Structures are given as C-alpha cells and as structure tokens.
Amino acid sequence: VLSAFHQVSVFPYDAVRQWLLEGRIDIAFGDDRRLGDFHWISLRKDPLEAVIPASFPMPSSSFLTMKELSSYPLLLAPMNGFDSYAGMLSDKKISVTCDDDYTLLSLVQKSLGATLMPRLSLFRCPDGVRCFPLQPEICRVLGIALPPHPRKSAEMLASFAQERLADNQ
C-alpha cells in the first residue's frame, strides 16, 4: 500500500483545500498543519530532520538543535510548509521555490545550504548528504482529510487506511 503513495501526484495545498470544499475530491492525504481543519484522521507522525551537505562541518552529536541548524545557510521551500519554523532560524534563510524533495536534496548535495525535511522524504538520500534528527523532535502528522459532507465510500476508505497505516502508539 505505501509504495502506491510514491505514484501520487502532488498539487498545491490551496488547490486541494478548494477541491475538498467543493466536493470535487473524496479524500486527501496530507499533513495536519495544512488540512487538519477538515474532518481529519491522523495516521502517523513524521519527524523533521536536519539535512546538511557532507562538506559542511559535522555536528558533535548525533542530532541537531534548531539553533545549530541555523548556523548553516538554510534552503527553505515555502511549498513544504515548514516556514512556520522560520522564526526559530537565523537570518541565513534562502527561500527556494521547488516542487520536488529531490531537487531540494540536490541543492543540499551541491553544498548550497542545509534544509529541513520530513523523515519519510529521506528514504533515498543521495551521497554527500547527511541527515540528523532534531532535538527536541519536531513532527508533522500525516493523515486523511475528508470534505465537509463525505460520501460513505470515502469514509470507508479512510477507515481502512487508518486501520492499515496508523501508528501503533
């Protein structure tokens, strides 16, 4: 089931929100910060990680704090929704517009800066890139959003997905 997620097209969240409101789509997968105000079904936490080029000085521990991360030039893509953490970071932010995690990883790989990415996006990390958990941990919550008046079939799919994909916490 999870491998099917890698085949899903990515659309701007504003469009997805509008489609849910209009009833044009029956279900949306996303994170709670952008879709949590709909009928929301949490599936799992996805911790953010600091991603730095191997050419940058390595941290002295196995994790990074936001303060340590802010010592690097930072590549932040507004489309990934982590801009709310920008207040925790230094003025070394570089806003990058890209719609692909691998493009952002390539920029990091070329030593143009460091970034924040969800752990689930880092299953194919390129050579020359190092990932570190954040301390304290910062997570997004992935889940399913349903339109205001969902069809029974969408509710059934959401229930099935929750049984199959939800964290066993």
Side-chain angles (χ1 to χ4, degrees), residues 48 50 61-68 132-138:
L48 300 184
S61 62
S62 60
F63 60 85
L64 276 175
T65 65
M66 290 298 274
K67 182 177 180 180
E68 291 168 322
F132 296 89
L134 292 173
Q135 196 64 261
E137 184 178 73
I138 298 173

Side-chain angles (χ1 to χ4, degrees), residues 2-134:
L2 284 177
S3 63
F5 284 5
H6 304 297
Q7 305 299 319
V8 174
S9 296
V10 178
F11 295 99
Y13 272 92
D14 289 343
V16 173
R17 293 180 61 77
Q18 190 63 36
W19 296 338
L20 280 168
L21 287 170
E22 294 171 356
R24 291 175 56 196
I25 59 174
D26 292 316
I27 193 167
F29 289 90
D31 67 74
D32 62 333
R33 291 178 42 243
R34 293 184 276 190
L35 295 174
D37 54 337
F38 286 92
H39 176 71
W40 179 253
I41 299 167
S42 295
L43 296 177
R44 64 177 52 237
K45 289 184 199 175
D46 185 17
L48 300 184
E49 293 201 1
V51 183
I52 65 173
S55 63
F56 282 18
M58 290 294 128
S60 58
S61 62
S62 60
F63 60 85
L64 276 175
T65 65
M66 290 298 274
K67 182 177 180 180
E68 291 168 322
L69 178 61
S70 71
S71 70
Y72 301 107
L74 295 170
L75 303 168
L76 296 175
M79 53 69 68
N80 70 15
F82 306 136
D83 49 341
S84 64
Y85 302 111
M88 300 179 191
L89 303 171
S90 74
D91 58 353
K92 296 182 184 181
K93 296 180 284 295
I94 303 164
S95 186
V96 188
T97 301
C98 64
D99 61 356
D100 182 82
D101 289 339
Y102 298 108
T103 301
L104 195 55
L105 283 171
S106 292
L107 294 172
V108 173
Q109 183 183 35
K110 299 294 182 194
S111 299
L112 296 175
T115 195
L116 279 174
M117 291 191 81
R119 187 173 290 158
L120 285 175
S121 296
L122 297 170
F123 68 96
R124 278 191 246 154
C125 220
D127 291 337
V129 172
R130 302 289 179 261
C131 303
F132 296 89
L134 292 173

